Amino acid sequence: MKRNRITLYIDLLFCLVIIPLAIMLLPVDRWITNNTAFLITLVAYVYILYFVYRLSCIPKLFMQKKYIRIFILLFILASITELLTYFPMPAEHITDDIRQMTTKMNIRKQTIWFFFLIVTGFSLAIELTFELFRQIISKQEIEAEKNKAELSLYKAQINPHFLFNTLNTLYALVLSGSEKTESAFVKFSDILRYMYSQNESELIPAEDELNYIRQYVDLQKLRLNHHTNVFLSINASSGKILIPPMILITFVENAFKYGTSSDTDCKIDIKIDINKEKLILETENAVMKKPENKQPGIGISNCRKRLDLLYPERYKLENGENNGIYRVKLEIDINN
């Protein structure tokens, strides 16, 4: 719709401003008197030529490699233009002054070809510009669809990864016969309900994601003994801020995966701060377990890819181990 409006404005500019101004450069008064039919024919031809170019869209034909069609079109238009230069002048208006002027300068022929070149150049420039915009918009749409598909894939990979680890927690509670098992399954069902209710959502209120993280942390606490202390601090000045679902849980999950112990004192510290400008997540945990391989986990890898797609050049992610302590700091500019 917007492009059609721009096209209309350009057509009006050409037809109502540029062409009338160009015609005013001609000896209109003399031509109206001496050869009215020629002047009317010339003006009509200029407008017809312009819309022929606009409808044929030569740059698009060129992109499609339809060179023969372009050649035929230009040949026909050039031939018609040349024929127009032989437009007869009424004998009664041919004076010695006019005959002398025609002999020396051949104004009429130059004028016809001048208008032909002006219309051709303007039309091709406009169509070339529109074709470039079409190519850019098409690439952007393709890239947007690709990014959307990738986001869906990454979210689909995150969910099974999370479920696998959570089921291990429930399994451990069942084996131990813990009285916390029933409460754990209630929390787990709430988590599942949240995960699949937000599965198709690109953005959700921050308060929903924060409640989800609280439930997850509570679920993890049920399986931990006194050796692991968990501290969760959430400061959300605006819970209505929209954020991507399941974007924070991977870092929280990894803190529990590698930072807990059943026989050694350890601590997990999670801080989340959300305001209208930024989202900041910080986690800190002692490294109690090492991954079996040294390759980055699928969860963090997918989070990085999602962040690249959702917040290009608008986030900072620092994570790493130092002196046996693993720290993560994620900062997202959510104001843009």
Side-chain angles (χ1 to χ4, degrees), residues 83-101:
L83 290 175
L84 191 60
T85 62
Y86 295 99
F87 194 93
M89 180 177 288
E92 63 270 18
H93 295 301
I94 300 178
T95 64
D96 291 338
D97 292 339
I98 295 174
R99 186 180 292 108
Q100 185 178 5
M101 186 180 298

Side-chain angles (χ1 to χ4, degrees), residues 267-284:
K267 182 182 74 169
I268 295 176
D269 196 0
I270 303 168
K271 297 178 182 178
I272 302 174
D273 186 11
I274 299 179
N275 55 52
K276 293 182 179 179
E277 302 293 331
K278 291 184 181 296
L279 182 155
I280 300 174
L281 166 72
E282 294 180 274
T283 67
E284 181 178 308

Side-chain angles (χ1 to χ4, degrees), residues 177-196:
S178 172
E179 60 185 18
K180 301 176 183 178
T181 303
E182 182 179 352
S183 176
F185 272 101
V186 172
K187 293 182 181 298
F188 181 59
S189 64
D190 291 339
I191 288 175
L192 285 180
R193 188 180 302 109
Y194 169 82
M195 287 174 55
Y196 289 100

